[in-house]
Amino acid sequence: MSVPGSDPVLAGLVAVEALIRAGDLARAGAALETIRDSAPNDVRASLVEATLARAANESQREIAALRRACALTPRWVVPHLELGKALARADALEE
């Protein structure tokens, strides 16, 4: 596993996750936007965006972020599992 200091995107995402846990969703969103601007195709940013959206009770945004993660890494099972859980929470499993 990478050490957060050796990967600036990872270090930023760890900081965003800490802000989410602290309930500072506005700052987390702003920090995540900066990360997404610098690494738009980083699946980890999409997964953290889904975490932020869930914390903000924004199910459609969570689902959109997880769909983006699935598109970025179609063979990685984690985004697909998380998308299934998000769809179930939103009572949208037909999708």
Side-chain angles (χ1 to χ4, degrees):
M1 182 159 179
S2 297
V3 176
S6 66
D7 178 351
V9 172
L10 178 58
L13 293 172
V14 167
V16 169
E17 288 178 325
L19 290 168
I20 294 169
R21 283 191 304 277
D24 194 346
L25 303 185
R27 282 186 52 209
L32 182 59
E33 193 64 35
T34 300
I35 293 167
R36 290 197 61 81
D37 287 346
S38 67
N41 294 321
D42 193 311
V43 68
R44 300 170 300 176
S46 293
L47 293 173
V48 173
E49 181 179 359
T51 301
L52 174 59
R54 183 172 181 201
N57 293 315
E58 296 176 7
S59 61
Q60 293 308 308
R61 180 177 170 201
E62 178 185 13
I63 290 167
L66 291 168
R67 285 194 170 131
R68 190 167 40 259
C70 289
L72 289 169
T73 55
R75 292 183 164 202
W76 188 31
V77 69
V78 171
H80 295 276
L81 291 173
E82 293 301 320
L83 176 58
K85 291 190 277 185
L87 289 168
R89 282 190 297 274
D91 199 26
L93 283 176
E94 309 81 48
E95 295 183 35

